[in-house]
Amino acid sequence: MSKVDQEIALFIVFCIEQYKTAKGITGEEAMSILSRYGVLGYLTEFYDVLHTQGRQWLLAEIDEFINNRKKEERQ
C-alpha cells in the first residue's frame, strides 16, 4: 500500500469514528450508513480537499452529502 493510500485509509477511519461518535451509533451502523449513501467513495475521491478541513466541517459535509443522496432516492 502506498503512503497516499495509507493516508486516505487513516482519514476514512477518522471520519467513520467521528461520525459514529457524533451520532451515538455503533461502528457497524456507521459503516452501513456511509456505505449505503456512497460516502466512503466520496471521501476517497475528494480526499485531497476534504482532509484539510476540521472535524465539525467534515461531519456537516457528510450529513449534507447523505441528505442529498436521500433526496435523490425519493425522486
Side-chain angles (χ1 to χ4, degrees):
M1 182 181 281
S2 73
K3 184 173 174 22
V4 172
D5 288 340
Q6 288 176 350
E7 290 172 3
I8 292 171
L10 289 172
F11 172 69
I12 290 173
V13 169
F14 171 80
C15 291
I16 294 166
E17 287 296 315
Q18 293 303 310
Y19 185 80
K20 172 189 85 146
T21 301
K23 301 299 180 185
I25 59 179
T26 67
E28 186 175 343
E29 291 169 320
M31 279 299 298
S32 177
I33 293 166
L34 298 177
S35 294
R36 176 179 178 187
Y37 294 106
V39 175
L40 301 176
Y42 171 71
L43 295 173
T44 301
E45 184 175 351
F46 296 101
Y47 164 79
D48 57 334
V49 174
L50 296 174
H51 86 281
T52 65
Q53 304 302 316
R55 183 182 67 83
Q56 286 299 108
W57 187 92
L58 284 168
L59 290 171
E61 182 71 8
I62 290 169
D63 283 338
E64 182 178 347
F65 187 86
I66 290 170
N67 287 335
N68 287 338
R69 288 290 174 102
K70 285 179 179 178
K71 287 176 189 174
E72 290 172 7
E73 283 183 349
R74 290 186 214 130
Q75 294 178 351

